[in-house]
Amino acid sequence: MEAVAGDRRLGFQLVLFLFLASFPSILAEGPTDATIVVRGAAKVAETDENFVCATIDWWPPDKCNYKQCPWGESTVLYLDLSHPFLAKAVQAFGNLRIRIGGSLQDQVVYNVGNMNYPCHPFQKMVDGLFGFSKGCLRMDRWDELNQFFHKTGAIVTFGLNALYGRHKIRRGVWGGAWDSTNAYDFIKYTIDKGYKINSWEFGNELSGRGIGASVSAELYGKDLIKLDAHINELYKNSRSRPLLLAPGGFFNEEWYAKLLELSGSSIVNAMTHHMYNLGAGDDPRLINKILDPHHLSLASETFSNLQRTIEKHGPWASAWVGESGGAYNSGGHLVSDTFIDSFWYLDQLGMASKYNTKVYCRQTLIGGNYGLLNTTTFTPNPDYYSALLWHRLMGKGVLTVQSDASPFLRAYAHCSKGKVGVTLLLINLSNQTDFRITVQNDVKVNMHIGENTRREGSFIYGLKKTVSWVGRVASDETTFREEYHLTPNGNLRSQTMLLNGTPLELTEDGDIPTWEPALVSMNSPVFVAPLSIAFVAFPNLDAPACAKI
């Protein structure tokens, strides 16, 4: 076994050598020193065990933006659920949260019970909400979806139509009573079939001024009380009751606070909000925004304000990001589906976690330009692997991080998932600064020992400098950390991501590739190359908060 392990190490070093050969400019420049302090005495927040979530939307194939129609047959009514890549991509997470919802959610009728509408798919309609008619979910399609969810172990959130029975009062504003009969019959059908739904979400982007349509907080509050009563009645003989989520819209402090107060204690289990902090998908400044630490940090105000609103007006509820694709209107072509998007995406996951966000739903699992999977080939885009790495490495406990580095080095720390220790997420937004990082805990235990690393041969030093590979054989006396370095295969808009220099690609059988970390001596600094991302797992960083998990 030792010989096999040795061969693997030598093979890995060879891959790293070839990887380094393509980055002579990085090797030629000296690194910039930085210190990161992880405060492990207490958790500052906690996520759900299944924090990573992805959506499946309702858009029909003729949904277009910017003279592009990037959805194809990738949504609820059209998605090929039998595609082997799809099932394997979901199963790789163990239990991936999937949210069914989107802009047309409040125009979906369910073909069950005494439905008053014909069961037709969405069609282009000039006067329709978002330019489409009402659409219908057949129960045989709902059966197929649930078979897929059961097969893949998905944890399901379903967004209900909150405009059913209402009418337009004036432009963008809807009133009247919500007719709950269709939703009631649909939920009853779901229960009778034995389908497991983790949570029911009420409405999509109807809060505040709304997107396309809005409903007052007063009406919304009454409707939630009614829906909660229906859920209690329908699930009275069930072992578990699904969560009730609302409102699935953009955060408006006054509206959200009023909804919590009007609906009352323990009605809403999670306040869901949407985030598209990069602007329009065709914005020519999209890439600049992704790499601008100031712009990325602006989103923290929304997370902070929502956290404060919940603590003050509804402490029984938690915060979820119910939908976030970075750039709205289907995302940015050859941006949202490329390596560069992971700078935004992973930064969002880290930032949201710090503000006690329990779940973060990516728009989308598949569909548009921002899908984790390619719309036509079903192969993973770079953000899929970023999501999977987060899911496998970052545990529930969130720790405070302090850094003396420039704002271009983003750092987040969590208790490691399924093992002792702490995992750091390091995001280097700089195009020229190579960071050499000293990691300490909050009792000032220095993890970086020995200045002699600077005096080693240039090849070994360059190797360490780029991917933190020690170049030594493991021994019982040496403690190692695990490093996962993410870089593009060429330029930043590559649709192939490299992990420690190796392309992340499906196997010949369409399986998600297995990966091994670089094992690095705890006595060496952490090196993060320009425009790269690294997950670094420290098995022995003293963090009492993590020992309690």
Side-chain angles (χ1 to χ4, degrees):
M1 291 299 293
E2 290 181 0
V4 172
D7 290 342
R8 288 178 177 173
R9 280 191 293 272
L10 290 172
F12 186 76
Q13 291 178 29
L14 178 60
V15 170
L16 291 177
F17 171 73
L18 295 174
F19 169 59
L20 288 170
S22 65
F23 287 91
S25 61
I26 295 175
L27 295 176
E29 298 178 6
T32 296
D33 289 314
T35 300
I36 288 176
V37 177
V38 178
R39 301 203 171 275
K43 293 177 290 184
V44 294
E46 187 169 296
T47 69
D48 187 87
E49 184 72 23
N50 298 102
F51 174 69
V52 174
C53 165
T55 70
I56 300 178
D57 211 307
W58 289 98
W59 290 119
D62 51 354
K63 158 65 175 174
C64 305
N65 293 102
Y66 320 126
K67 299 181 180 179
Q68 303 171 21
C69 304
W71 289 88
E73 296 187 342
S74 64
T75 54
V76 180
L77 301 181
Y78 308 95
L79 182 59
D80 180 5
L81 300 171
S82 66
H83 198 293
F85 291 2
L86 181 65
K88 290 177 179 180
V90 174
Q91 289 169 330
F93 284 84
N95 298 107
L96 177 64
R97 284 188 181 274
I98 294 180
R99 169 187 174 256
I100 305 296
S103 296
L104 296 182
Q105 170 181 317
D106 296 303
Q107 300 211 99
V108 179
V109 294
Y110 319 115
N111 189 27
V112 62
N114 298 316
M115 187 184 72
N116 296 322
Y117 294 93
C119 194
H120 295 315
F122 296 107
Q123 297 177 343
K124 284 284 185 74
M125 183 178 175
V126 175
D127 297 330
L129 193 60
F130 300 106
F132 288 93
S133 67
K134 288 183 173 63
C136 178
L137 174 62
R138 304 184 320 273
M139 290 304 96
D140 59 342
R141 179 59 175 176
W142 184 230
D143 295 339
E144 293 170 356
L145 285 160
N146 279 279
Q147 290 167 10
F148 174 79
F149 298 148
H150 177 73
K151 172 185 176 182
T152 58
I155 301 171
V156 181
T157 293
F158 188 93
L160 295 166
N161 181 343
L163 291 182
Y164 193 81
R166 300 192 199 277
H167 59 275
K168 188 184 297 185
I169 298 175
R170 59 184 183 275
R171 184 176 180 181
V173 179
W174 290 59
W178 173 58
D179 184 346
S180 63
T181 55
N182 194 226
Y184 183 97
D185 291 339
F186 177 59
I187 295 173
K188 184 178 185 303
Y189 177 90
T190 301
I191 295 170
D192 291 344
K193 296 288 284 190
Y195 300 148
K196 294 182 179 179
I197 303 297
N198 172 264
S199 45
W200 296 100
E201 187 176 28
F202 188 61
N204 184 83
E205 297 180 354
L206 302 175
S207 57
R209 295 184 178 181
I211 303 295
S214 67
V215 174
S216 70
E218 289 81 3
L219 287 177
Y220 227 101
K222 292 179 181 178
D223 298 335
L224 284 172
I225 293 171
K226 181 191 293 187
L227 178 55
D228 181 69
H230 287 331
I231 291 174
N232 286 335
E233 175 193 346
L234 290 166
Y235 282 92
K236 63 184 178 183
N237 295 322
S238 299
R239 293 183 179 179
S240 59
R241 177 192 184 278
L243 302 175
L244 178 54
L245 316 181
F250 290 94
F251 176 67
N252 176 292
E253 186 169 353
E254 181 181 357
W255 196 99
Y256 270 58
K258 188 176 292 184
L259 178 64
L260 284 167
E261 292 172 351
L262 291 170
S263 58
S265 177
S266 302
I267 295 294
V268 182
N269 300 114
M271 296 293 283
T272 50
H273 70 114
H274 295 181
M275 292 280 289
Y276 286 90
N277 61 312
L278 296 179
D282 67 342
D283 188 339
R285 301 169 298 167
L286 195 56
I287 290 177
N288 292 337
K289 289 180 178 179
I290 291 173
L291 297 178
D292 180 356
H294 173 71
H295 185 85
L296 294 180
S297 293
L298 293 176
S300 65
E301 183 176 359
T302 298
F303 291 121
S304 177
N305 290 342
L306 176 58
Q307 183 182 41
R308 185 180 63 250
T309 300
I310 290 174
E311 289 172 350
K312 182 177 180 180
H313 300 279
W316 56 84
S318 61
W320 288 26
V321 173
E323 181 181 310
S324 182
Y328 59 79
N329 286 345
S330 305
H333 181 50
L334 292 181
V335 177
S336 300
D337 52 354
T338 68
F339 177 83
I340 195 171
D341 200 61
S342 282
F343 291 108
W344 160 79
Y345 181 39
L346 286 172
D347 188 69
Q348 276 276 295
L349 296 182
M351 188 185 303
S353 299
K354 287 178 18 180
Y355 292 96
N356 226 30
T357 302
K358 301 302 182 186
V359 173
Y360 191 106
C361 295
R362 168 61 180 255
Q363 175 79 343
T364 60
L365 172 62
I366 185 168
N369 293 311
Y370 38 34
L372 296 179
L373 305 178
N374 182 283
T375 300
T376 54
T377 67
F378 289 69
T379 56
N381 286 321
D383 278 355
Y384 172 87
Y385 293 111
S386 294
L388 189 57
L389 275 163
W390 175 288
H391 177 73
R392 291 180 176 178
L393 298 175
M394 304 291 270
K396 298 189 298 180
V398 185
L399 307 175
T400 297
V401 174
Q402 293 179 316
S403 170
D404 64 359
S406 78
F408 286 88
L409 180 65
R410 317 282 282 186
Y412 301 97
H414 283 229
C415 299
S416 295
K417 190 167 189 176
K419 61 177 70 174
V420 297
V422 173
T423 297
L424 275 178
L425 167 62
L426 302 170
I427 303 171
N428 188 353
L429 300 173
S430 173
N431 64 359
Q432 58 186 4
T433 303
D434 179 13
F435 287 101
R436 176 173 53 202
I437 301 165
T438 297
V439 179
Q440 300 176 340
N441 63 15
D442 53 355
V443 291
K444 305 300 183 184
V445 177
N446 198 330
M447 305 298 292
H448 168 40
I449 303 172
E451 287 297 315
N452 61 334
T453 56
R454 302 185 189 184
R455 296 191 293 271
E456 294 176 3
S458 59
F459 172 73
I460 294 297
Y461 177 66
L463 198 62
K464 286 183 174 184
K465 176 174 176 291
T466 305
V467 292
S468 299
W469 179 255
V470 183
R472 295 191 302 194
V473 177
S475 68
D476 293 338
E477 292 77 26
T478 306
T479 302
F480 288 85
R481 65 177 182 259
E482 297 179 351
E483 296 192 359
Y484 304 81
H485 291 261
L486 303 177
T487 54
N489 187 18
N491 64 59
L492 290 176
R493 296 171 79 169
S494 170
Q495 291 181 298
T496 300
M497 175 182 277
L498 305 181
L499 173 59
N500 293 335
T502 300
L504 289 170
E505 298 173 333
L506 296 180
T507 68
E508 292 182 1
D509 295 327
D511 293 325
I512 301 301
T514 57
W515 52 58
E516 295 293 335
L519 299 179
V520 185
S521 170
M522 293 294 292
N523 294 340
S524 65
V526 177
F527 290 91
V528 183
L531 296 175
S532 73
I533 300 165
F535 289 90
V536 184
F538 295 87
N540 64 348
L541 196 152
D542 187 16
C546 297
K548 300 173 185 177
I549 294 179

Coordinates of all heavy atoms in Angstrom, one line a residue, residues 184-240:
Y184 N -54.9 23.5 -2.4 CA -55.3 22.5 -1.4 C -55.4 21.1 -2.1 O -54.9 20.1 -1.5 CB -56.7 22.9 -0.8 CG -57.2 22.0 0.2 CD1 -57.1 22.3 1.6 CD2 -57.9 20.8 -0.1 CE1 -57.6 21.4 2.6 CE2 -58.4 20.0 0.8 CZ -58.3 20.3 2.2 OH -58.8 19.4 3.2
D185 N -56.1 21.1 -3.2 CA -56.2 19.8 -3.9 C -54.9 19.2 -4.4 O -54.6 18.0 -4.3 CB -57.1 20.0 -5.2 CG -58.6 20.3 -4.8 OD1 -59.0 20.0 -3.7 OD2 -59.3 20.8 -5.7
F186 N -54.0 20.1 -4.8 CA -52.6 19.7 -5.2 C -51.8 19.1 -4.0 O -51.2 18.1 -4.1 CB -51.9 20.9 -5.8 CG -50.5 20.6 -6.3 CD1 -50.2 19.6 -7.2 CD2 -49.4 21.3 -5.7 CE1 -48.9 19.4 -7.6 CE2 -48.1 21.1 -6.1 CZ -47.9 20.1 -7.0
I187 N -51.9 19.8 -2.9 CA -51.2 19.3 -1.7 C -51.8 18.0 -1.3 O -51.0 17.0 -0.9 CB -51.2 20.3 -0.6 CG1 -50.4 21.6 -1.0 CG2 -50.6 19.8 0.7 CD1 -50.6 22.8 0.0
K188 N -53.1 17.9 -1.3 CA -53.7 16.6 -0.9 C -53.3 15.5 -1.8 O -53.0 14.4 -1.4 CB -55.2 16.8 -0.9 CG -56.0 15.5 -0.4 CD -57.5 15.8 -0.4 CE -58.2 14.6 0.2 NZ -58.0 13.3 -0.5
Y189 N -53.3 15.7 -3.1 CA -52.8 14.7 -4.1 C -51.4 14.3 -3.8 O -51.1 13.1 -3.8 CB -52.9 15.3 -5.5 CG -52.4 14.4 -6.6 CD1 -53.2 13.5 -7.2 CD2 -51.0 14.3 -7.0 CE1 -52.8 12.6 -8.2 CE2 -50.5 13.5 -7.9 CZ -51.4 12.6 -8.5 OH -50.9 11.7 -9.5
T190 N -50.5 15.2 -3.5 CA -49.1 15.0 -3.1 C -49.0 14.1 -1.9 O -48.3 13.1 -1.9 CB -48.4 16.3 -2.9 OG1 -48.5 17.1 -4.1 CG2 -46.9 16.1 -2.6
I191 N -49.8 14.4 -0.9 CA -49.8 13.5 0.3 C -50.4 12.1 0.0 O -49.8 11.1 0.5 CB -50.7 14.2 1.4 CG1 -50.0 15.6 1.8 CG2 -50.8 13.3 2.6 CD1 -50.9 16.4 2.7
D192 N -51.5 12.1 -0.7 CA -52.1 10.8 -1.0 C -51.2 9.9 -1.8 O -51.2 8.6 -1.6 CB -53.4 11.0 -1.8 CG -54.5 11.6 -0.9 OD1 -54.4 11.6 0.3 OD2 -55.5 12.2 -1.5
K193 N -50.3 10.5 -2.6 CA -49.3 9.7 -3.4 C -48.1 9.3 -2.6 O -47.2 8.6 -3.0 CB -48.9 10.4 -4.6 CG -50.1 10.7 -5.6 CD -50.5 9.4 -6.3 CE -49.6 9.1 -7.4 NZ -50.0 8.0 -8.3
G194 N -48.0 9.9 -1.4 CA -46.8 9.6 -0.5 C -45.6 10.3 -0.9 O -44.5 10.0 -0.5
Y195 N -45.7 11.4 -1.6 CA -44.6 12.2 -2.0 C -44.1 13.1 -0.9 O -44.9 13.8 -0.2 CB -44.9 13.1 -3.3 CG -45.3 12.3 -4.5 CD1 -46.2 12.8 -5.4 CD2 -44.8 11.0 -4.7 CE1 -46.7 12.1 -6.5 CE2 -45.2 10.3 -5.9 CZ -46.1 10.9 -6.7 OH -46.6 10.1 -7.8
K196 N -42.8 13.1 -0.7 CA -42.2 13.9 0.4 C -41.8 15.3 -0.1 O -40.9 15.4 -0.9 CB -41.0 13.2 1.0 CG -41.3 11.8 1.7 CD -40.1 11.2 2.3 CE -40.5 9.9 2.9 NZ -39.2 9.2 3.5
I197 N -42.4 16.3 0.5 CA -42.1 17.7 0.3 C -41.5 18.3 1.6 O -42.2 18.2 2.6 CB -43.3 18.5 -0.2 CG1 -43.9 17.8 -1.4 CG2 -42.9 19.9 -0.4 CD1 -43.0 17.8 -2.6
N198 N -40.3 18.8 1.5 CA -39.7 19.4 2.7 C -40.3 20.7 3.0 O -40.4 21.0 4.2 CB -38.2 19.6 2.4 CG -37.5 20.3 3.5 OD1 -37.3 21.5 3.4 ND2 -37.1 19.6 4.6
S199 N -40.7 21.5 2.0 CA -41.3 22.8 2.3 C -42.1 23.3 1.2 O -41.8 23.0 0.0 CB -40.1 23.8 2.6 OG -39.1 23.7 1.7
W200 N -43.2 24.0 1.5 CA -44.0 24.7 0.6 C -43.7 26.2 0.7 O -43.7 26.8 1.7 CB -45.5 24.4 0.9 CG -45.9 23.0 0.8 CD1 -46.1 22.1 1.8 CD2 -46.3 22.3 -0.5 NE1 -46.5 20.9 1.3 CE2 -46.6 21.0 -0.1 CE3 -46.3 22.6 -1.8 CZ2 -47.0 20.0 -1.0 CZ3 -46.7 21.7 -2.7 CH2 -47.0 20.4 -2.4
E201 N -43.5 26.8 -0.5 CA -43.2 28.2 -0.5 C -44.4 28.9 -1.2 O -45.0 28.4 -2.2 CB -41.9 28.5 -1.3 CG -41.5 30.0 -1.3 CD -40.2 30.2 -2.0 OE1 -39.8 29.5 -2.9 OE2 -39.5 31.2 -1.6
F202 N -44.7 30.1 -0.7 CA -45.9 30.8 -1.1 C -45.6 32.0 -1.9 O -45.1 33.0 -1.4 CB -46.8 31.2 0.1 CG -48.1 31.7 -0.3 CD1 -49.1 31.0 -1.0 CD2 -48.5 33.0 0.1 CE1 -50.3 31.5 -1.3 CE2 -49.8 33.5 -0.2 CZ -50.7 32.8 -0.9
G203 N -45.8 31.9 -3.3 CA -45.6 33.1 -4.1 C -44.1 33.3 -4.6 O -43.2 32.7 -4.0
N204 N -44.0 34.1 -5.6 CA -42.6 34.4 -6.2 C -42.6 35.9 -6.6 O -43.3 36.3 -7.5 CB -42.4 33.5 -7.4 CG -41.0 33.7 -8.0 OD1 -40.0 33.1 -7.5 ND2 -40.8 34.5 -9.0
E205 N -41.7 36.6 -5.9 CA -41.4 38.0 -6.2 C -42.6 38.9 -6.3 O -42.8 39.7 -7.2 CB -40.6 38.1 -7.5 CG -39.2 37.4 -7.4 CD -38.4 37.4 -8.6 OE1 -38.8 37.9 -9.7 OE2 -37.2 36.9 -8.6
L206 N -43.5 38.8 -5.3 CA -44.7 39.6 -5.1 C -44.5 40.6 -4.0 O -45.4 41.4 -3.7 CB -45.9 38.7 -4.8 CG -46.2 37.6 -5.9 CD1 -47.4 36.7 -5.4 CD2 -46.6 38.3 -7.2
S207 N -43.4 40.6 -3.3 CA -43.2 41.5 -2.1 C -42.8 42.9 -2.6 O -42.3 43.1 -3.7 CB -42.1 40.9 -1.2 OG -40.9 40.7 -1.9
G208 N -43.1 43.8 -1.7 CA -42.7 45.2 -2.0 C -43.4 45.7 -3.3 O -44.6 45.5 -3.4
R209 N -42.7 46.2 -4.2 CA -43.2 46.6 -5.5 C -43.4 45.5 -6.4 O -44.1 45.6 -7.5 CB -42.3 47.7 -6.1 CG -42.3 49.0 -5.3 CD -41.5 50.0 -6.1 NE -41.4 51.3 -5.3 CZ -40.8 52.4 -5.8 NH1 -40.1 52.3 -6.9 NH2 -40.8 53.5 -5.1
G210 N -42.9 44.3 -6.1 CA -43.0 43.1 -6.9 C -42.2 43.2 -8.2 O -41.6 44.3 -8.5
I211 N -42.1 42.1 -8.9 CA -41.5 42.0 -10.2 C -42.7 41.5 -11.1 O -43.0 40.3 -11.1 CB -40.3 41.1 -10.3 CG1 -39.3 41.5 -9.3 CG2 -39.8 41.0 -11.7 CD1 -38.6 42.8 -9.6
G212 N -43.3 42.4 -11.8 CA -44.4 42.0 -12.7 C -45.7 42.1 -12.0 O -46.7 42.6 -12.5
A213 N -45.8 41.7 -10.7 CA -47.0 41.8 -9.9 C -46.6 41.9 -8.4 O -45.6 41.5 -8.0 CB -47.9 40.5 -10.1
S214 N -47.5 42.6 -7.7 CA -47.2 42.7 -6.2 C -48.5 42.5 -5.5 O -49.6 42.7 -6.0 CB -46.7 44.1 -5.9 OG -47.7 45.1 -6.2
V215 N -48.4 42.0 -4.2 CA -49.5 41.8 -3.3 C -49.2 42.5 -2.0 O -48.0 42.4 -1.5 CB -49.8 40.3 -3.1 CG1 -50.9 40.1 -2.1 CG2 -50.2 39.7 -4.4
S216 N -50.1 43.2 -1.4 CA -49.8 43.9 -0.1 C -49.5 42.9 1.0 O -49.9 41.7 1.0 CB -51.1 44.7 0.3 OG -52.1 43.8 0.7
A217 N -48.7 43.3 1.9 CA -48.3 42.5 3.1 C -49.5 42.1 3.9 O -49.6 41.0 4.5 CB -47.3 43.3 4.0
E218 N -50.6 43.0 3.9 CA -51.8 42.6 4.7 C -52.5 41.4 4.1 O -52.8 40.5 4.8 CB -52.8 43.8 4.6 CG -52.3 45.0 5.5 CD -51.3 45.9 4.8 OE1 -51.0 45.6 3.6 OE2 -50.8 46.8 5.4
L219 N -52.6 41.4 2.7 CA -53.3 40.2 2.1 C -52.4 39.0 2.2 O -52.9 37.9 2.5 CB -53.5 40.5 0.6 CG -54.7 41.5 0.3 CD1 -54.8 41.7 -1.2 CD2 -56.0 40.9 0.8
Y220 N -51.1 39.2 2.0 CA -50.2 38.1 2.1 C -50.2 37.4 3.5 O -50.2 36.2 3.6 CB -48.7 38.6 1.8 CG -47.9 37.8 0.8 CD1 -47.8 38.2 -0.5 CD2 -47.3 36.6 1.2 CE1 -47.1 37.5 -1.4 CE2 -46.6 35.8 0.3 CZ -46.4 36.3 -1.0 OH -45.7 35.6 -1.9
G221 N -50.3 38.2 4.5 CA -50.3 37.7 5.9 C -51.6 36.9 6.1 O -51.5 35.8 6.7
K222 N -52.7 37.3 5.7 CA -54.0 36.6 5.8 C -53.9 35.2 5.0 O -54.3 34.2 5.5 CB -55.1 37.4 5.3 CG -55.5 38.6 6.1 CD -56.6 39.4 5.5 CE -57.0 40.6 6.3 NZ -58.1 41.4 5.7
D223 N -53.3 35.3 3.8 CA -53.2 34.1 3.0 C -52.3 33.1 3.7 O -52.5 31.9 3.6 CB -52.6 34.5 1.6 CG -53.5 35.4 0.9 OD1 -54.7 35.4 1.1 OD2 -53.0 36.2 0.0
L224 N -51.2 33.5 4.3 CA -50.3 32.6 5.0 C -50.9 31.9 6.1 O -50.7 30.7 6.4 CB -49.0 33.3 5.4 CG -48.0 33.7 4.3 CD1 -46.9 34.6 4.9 CD2 -47.4 32.4 3.7
I225 N -51.8 32.6 6.9 CA -52.5 32.0 8.0 C -53.4 30.9 7.4 O -53.5 29.8 8.0 CB -53.3 33.0 8.7 CG1 -52.3 34.0 9.5 CG2 -54.3 32.4 9.7 CD1 -53.0 35.2 10.1
K226 N -54.1 31.2 6.3 CA -55.0 30.2 5.7 C -54.2 29.0 5.2 O -54.6 27.9 5.4 CB -55.7 30.9 4.5 CG -56.7 29.9 3.8 CD -57.2 30.5 2.5 CE -58.1 31.7 2.7 NZ -58.7 32.2 1.4
L227 N -53.1 29.3 4.5 CA -52.3 28.2 4.0 C -51.7 27.3 5.1 O -51.7 26.1 5.0 CB -51.1 28.7 3.1 CG -50.1 27.7 2.5 CD1 -50.9 26.6 1.7 CD2 -49.1 28.4 1.7
D228 N -51.3 27.9 6.2 CA -50.8 27.2 7.3 C -51.9 26.3 7.9 O -51.6 25.1 8.3 CB -50.3 28.2 8.4 CG -49.8 27.5 9.6 OD1 -48.7 26.9 9.5 OD2 -50.4 27.6 10.7
A229 N -53.1 26.8 8.0 CA -54.2 26.0 8.5 C -54.4 24.8 7.6 O -54.7 23.6 8.0 CB -55.5 26.8 8.6
H230 N -54.4 25.0 6.3 CA -54.5 23.9 5.3 C -53.4 22.8 5.5 O -53.7 21.6 5.5 CB -54.5 24.4 3.9 CG -55.7 25.2 3.4 ND1 -56.9 24.9 4.0 CD2 -55.9 26.1 2.5 CE1 -57.8 25.7 3.4 NE2 -57.2 26.5 2.5
I231 N -52.2 23.3 5.6 CA -51.1 22.4 5.8 C -51.3 21.6 7.1 O -51.0 20.3 7.1 CB -49.7 23.1 5.8 CG1 -49.5 23.7 4.4 CG2 -48.6 22.2 6.3 CD1 -48.2 24.6 4.3
N232 N -51.7 22.2 8.2 CA -51.9 21.5 9.4 C -53.0 20.5 9.3 O -52.9 19.3 9.8 CB -52.3 22.5 10.5 CG -51.1 23.3 11.0 OD1 -50.0 22.9 10.9 ND2 -51.4 24.5 11.5
E233 N -54.0 20.8 8.6 CA -55.1 19.9 8.4 C -54.7 18.7 7.5 O -55.0 17.5 7.9 CB -56.3 20.6 7.7 CG -57.5 19.6 7.4 CD -58.5 20.3 6.5 OE1 -58.5 21.5 6.3 OE2 -59.3 19.5 5.9
L234 N -54.1 19.0 6.4 CA -53.7 17.9 5.5 C -52.6 17.0 6.0 O -52.6 15.8 5.6 CB -53.3 18.6 4.1 CG -54.4 19.3 3.3 CD1 -53.9 20.1 2.2 CD2 -55.4 18.2 2.7
Y235 N -51.8 17.5 6.8 CA -50.7 16.7 7.3 C -50.9 16.2 8.7 O -49.9 15.7 9.4 CB -49.4 17.5 7.3 CG -48.7 17.6 5.9 CD1 -49.1 18.7 5.0 CD2 -47.9 16.6 5.4 CE1 -48.5 18.8 3.8 CE2 -47.3 16.7 4.1 CZ -47.6 17.8 3.3 OH -47.1 17.9 2.0
K236 N -52.1 16.3 9.2 CA -52.4 15.9 10.6 C -52.0 14.4 10.9 O -51.7 14.0 12.0 CB -53.8 16.2 11.0 CG -54.9 15.4 10.2 CD -56.3 15.9 10.6 CE -57.3 15.2 9.8 NZ -58.7 15.6 10.1
N237 N -52.1 13.6 9.9 CA -51.8 12.2 10.1 C -50.4 11.8 9.6 O -50.1 10.6 9.5 CB -52.9 11.3 9.3 CG -54.3 11.5 9.9 OD1 -54.4 11.6 11.1 ND2 -55.3 11.5 9.1
S238 N -49.6 12.8 9.2 CA -48.3 12.5 8.7 C -47.3 12.6 9.9 O -47.5 13.3 10.9 CB -47.9 13.6 7.7 OG -48.8 13.5 6.6
R239 N -46.2 11.9 9.7 CA -45.1 11.9 10.7 C -44.4 13.2 10.8 O -43.9 13.6 11.9 CB -44.1 10.8 10.5 CG -44.7 9.4 10.6 CD -43.6 8.3 10.4 NE -44.2 7.0 10.5 CZ -43.4 5.9 10.4 NH1 -42.2 6.0 10.0 NH2 -44.0 4.7 10.5
S240 N -44.3 13.9 9.7 CA -43.6 15.2 9.7 C -44.4 16.2 8.9 O -45.1 15.9 7.9 CB -42.2 15.0 9.1 OG -42.3 14.5 7.8

